[in-house]
Amino acid sequence: SNAMAAEGIVVSDIKPVYVEKGATNYSVTMKAVVTNNTEAQSVVIEISGIDKDGYVIENLTLTGKVGPGKKRIVMKMVTMQKKKYEKIVSWEEKK
């Protein structure tokens, strides 16, 4: 059932919009633009942070209220190790 639901949810423009840098940990506000083509009133999306070699080094789940047929920005603030965050070169929807 998950696979069917995922087809109706389109995710784009995944990126960090604000990073508060501490000595060892960063507070990172992640953003994604989500279009909901399902009947659900809210969405759950999973995103992956990828390093330069194409490996997934961080997985995050973003949730938000995006009604049927709507397109909205979904955001979440997470704490991440500095050394891990600095290795991430791109963010994409989890495969």
Side-chain angles (χ1 to χ4, degrees):
S1 65
N2 251 0
M4 283 181 62
E7 286 176 17
I9 295 170
V10 180
V11 183
S12 62
D13 200 26
I14 304 166
K15 64 185 177 200
V17 286
Y18 181 70
V19 181
E20 189 176 327
K21 298 185 174 184
T24 55
N25 289 318
Y26 287 2
S27 291
V28 182
T29 303
M30 292 301 303
K31 172 198 110 162
V33 177
V34 181
T35 304
N36 180 10
N37 298 317
T38 72
E39 296 301 306
Q41 297 295 325
S42 60
V43 297
V44 178
I45 60 163
E46 293 189 47
I47 61 173
S48 299
I50 314 290
D51 72 7
K52 65 176 171 43
D53 299 313
Y55 291 105
V56 172
I57 55 176
E58 185 74 45
N59 284 307
L60 302 173
T61 302
L62 275 61
T63 58
K65 286 200 184 310
V66 182
K70 297 278 194 286
K71 181 177 182 176
R72 293 236 163 86
I73 291 172
V74 176
M75 293 172 75
K76 179 180 188 173
M77 191 171 129
V78 295
T79 301
M80 218 177 292
Q81 288 179 325
K82 171 185 174 176
K83 59 177 186 260
K84 187 183 272 193
Y85 179 81
E86 292 189 337
K87 285 185 181 151
I88 296 172
V89 296
S90 68
W91 289 91
E92 53 193 58
E93 193 172 359
K94 190 174 175 183
K95 300 278 186 284

